[in-house]
Amino acid sequence: DPAMNVWEAVAPMGTARALAAAAVLDGKLYAAGGQNDAEEDVDGCLVERYDPALEAWEAVAPMGTAR
């Protein structure tokens, strides 16, 4: 919560990962790529979006090229 300057837990992602790229666009958080718990690369094209209004993650169109 940026207004309160605090973190809070939200719904888990469909694909757990670390080291993902992230960006916010139109109030929604996008996560792309990353690594799983075994430090193996997650599908580099995989993109998920978190919508705080729905309190849910969803898979969105994959990137055309893995990065």
Side-chain angles (χ1 to χ4, degrees):
D1 183 345
M4 299 296 291
N5 197 29
V6 296
W7 289 90
E8 63 184 69
V10 297
M13 303 174 82
T15 301
R17 62 184 101 180
L19 304 174
V24 175
L25 180 64
D26 295 330
K28 296 179 176 127
L29 174 65
Y30 290 79
Q35 292 182 337
N36 62 22
D37 287 341
E39 297 184 6
E40 300 166 335
D41 289 340
V42 172
D43 178 354
C45 294
L46 180 66
V47 181
E48 291 181 272
R49 174 177 60 203
Y50 179 74
D51 185 335
L54 300 175
E55 298 182 5
W57 287 92
E58 66 177 329
V60 295
M63 294 186 291
T65 302
R67 294 184 170 86

